[in-house]
Amino acid sequence: MISTPPLLDTAFPDLKLHGRGKVRDIYEVGDQLLLVATDRISAFDYVLGSGIPDKGKVLTQLSAFWFERMGDLVPHHMIAIDTAAFPAALQPYAATLRGRAMLCRRTRPIPIECVARGYLSGSGWKEYQQTGMVCGIALPKGLKESDRLPEPIFTPATKAETGHDVNISEDEAAKIIGRELTTRLRTLTLEIFRRGCEHAESKGIIIADTKFEFGLAPAGSNQDEIVLIDEVLTPDSSHFWPKDQYRPGGAVPSFDKQFVRDYLEEIKWNKQPPVPSLPESVVTRTREKYVEAFRRLSDRELA
């Protein structure tokens, strides 16, 4: 039994809402941004009627863990997640924000998703079956679903306001943001992914793939500086597989929304509104997976 209800919506009357995503609500705090990770959960491109208690805390605190570990490799946007360090304007909301909010510096977001894949699954597996390639990258023949790739690959995608992001080739990314910036992002993406995978595997978790977002420093500062933003190596932005259950040749159990997706397929939801709510058993098991991933990777308890 879960005693704490999920946080599905935020409302801070004294703050200006900057934007709202499927999971995060973003507020303006002077020249900084406050990213509040709710407990909303989406599947098949829709936010569901139920939330997963503490999911937002997992996303925020796990991202903070990775930002700290990657800080020597790439600048990041995190300023603080400790509410005691937040500005006075946020203190009235400290109880709601505690553990799930991140105060960040502003950047100019780069309009592509930077995806790294170490294994053949998901949309990459579907594309490989049809073309033998993933995002324009030719792969060896005869690979099976969930096979480890010879080496990780960089497969960018366009950011979609609604629905799925669209996989594109590196050449297509270069047409959007320029060749030099695309090359720099590929190098950073693969190095962050390599470092993350190395740590995760030592904790018994395979990171099959992940997506990163980057921004450029604001005008008037070092405008060539690339900044790691949003979330990093979380169960929402990555596919985490338990190392001891990894078997190529089919789908692998995961630490993310597996129970949710399985339930929605089981009830034969047509993936159109109205959105269903989840039974307590699915909510409970999904929460357990998120929290387990956090604990394993960070060696910390959820605050």
Side-chain angles (χ1 to χ4, degrees):
M1 180 70 70
I2 299 170
S3 58
T4 307
L7 178 71
L8 297 181
D9 292 295
T10 64
F12 306 123
D14 299 333
L15 304 179
K16 181 180 179 181
L17 183 68
H18 181 79
R20 179 166 276 142
K22 289 177 181 174
V23 173
R24 284 171 182 77
D25 295 345
I26 306 172
Y27 291 87
E28 297 183 10
V29 185
D31 61 353
Q32 299 169 342
L33 294 177
L34 183 74
L35 274 61
V36 185
T38 70
D39 295 327
R40 297 191 292 262
I41 189 165
S42 64
F44 304 113
D45 299 325
Y46 288 96
V47 176
L48 302 181
S50 305
I52 307 298
D54 295 326
K55 174 177 174 283
K57 292 185 175 183
V58 168
L59 300 183
T60 296
Q61 294 175 46
L62 188 55
S63 291
F65 167 78
W66 289 116
F67 280 134
E68 292 163 4
R69 289 186 69 91
M70 303 298 175
D72 64 317
L73 180 62
V74 59
H76 56 72
H77 72 165
M78 181 178 71
I79 296 171
I81 64 166
D82 181 359
T83 52
F86 286 1
L90 300 180
Q91 294 308 317
Y93 312 117
T96 301
L97 299 176
R98 189 165 293 117
R100 66 170 67 250
M102 182 178 293
L103 190 65
C104 301
R105 61 176 173 136
R106 292 180 188 242
T107 67
R108 294 172 291 143
I110 297 169
I112 64 166
E113 302 272 7
C114 292
V115 181
R117 301 175 188 270
Y119 292 77
L120 191 57
S121 66
S123 62
W125 166 241
K126 291 177 183 176
E127 186 178 344
Y128 173 78
Q129 288 178 288
Q130 296 169 352
T131 67
M133 298 190 292
V134 177
C135 295
I137 300 172
L139 296 177
K141 294 181 180 179
L143 294 178
K144 302 185 295 293
E145 182 179 8
S146 303
D147 262 342
R148 185 168 190 161
L149 298 176
E151 60 183 10
I153 57 175
F154 172 65
T155 60
T158 59
K159 293 182 181 181
E161 292 298 321
T162 59
H164 279 299
D165 296 333
V166 179
N167 293 340
I168 57 176
S169 68
E170 191 171 328
D171 285 341
E172 289 171 312
K175 291 177 183 176
I176 298 171
I177 62 171
R179 177 67 63 185
E180 180 187 1
L181 183 54
T182 301
T183 300
R184 292 171 67 195
L185 290 177
R186 180 188 66 215
T187 300
L188 275 175
T189 295
L190 293 177
E191 181 56 25
I192 298 168
F193 183 61
R194 183 202 64 76
R195 189 182 291 191
C197 288
E198 188 176 84
H199 173 77
E201 290 207 28
S202 75
K203 304 296 183 180
I205 292 177
I206 291 171
I207 305 178
D209 53 59
T210 194
K211 66 177 180 180
F212 302 118
E213 292 197 40
F214 295 91
L216 294 171
S221 54
N222 179 7
Q223 295 184 47
D224 287 334
E225 180 184 48
I226 295 175
V227 183
L228 183 61
I229 65 173
D230 197 50
E231 62 183 315
V232 180
L233 296 169
T234 71
D236 269 16
S237 65
S238 320
H239 286 109
F240 292 160
W241 295 342
K243 195 173 176 180
D244 59 0
Q245 296 180 50
Y246 171 64
R247 303 287 185 279
V252 181
S254 63
F255 280 97
D256 51 25
K257 307 173 188 178
Q258 179 189 344
F259 293 122
V260 173
R261 293 192 192 97
D262 289 351
Y263 170 75
L264 296 176
E265 295 288 12
E266 183 182 306
I267 65 171
K268 295 181 169 51
W269 177 45
N270 65 0
K271 304 178 181 64
Q272 297 294 325
V275 296
S277 293
L278 303 172
E280 186 175 331
S281 61
V282 173
V283 170
T284 299
R285 287 187 293 169
T286 302
R287 178 189 179 276
E288 288 170 353
K289 282 296 181 186
Y290 272 79
V291 173
E292 181 186 353
F294 171 76
R295 286 174 174 159
R296 276 212 211 181
L297 289 168
S298 69
D299 288 323
R300 300 173 183 174
E301 290 299 317
L302 200 62

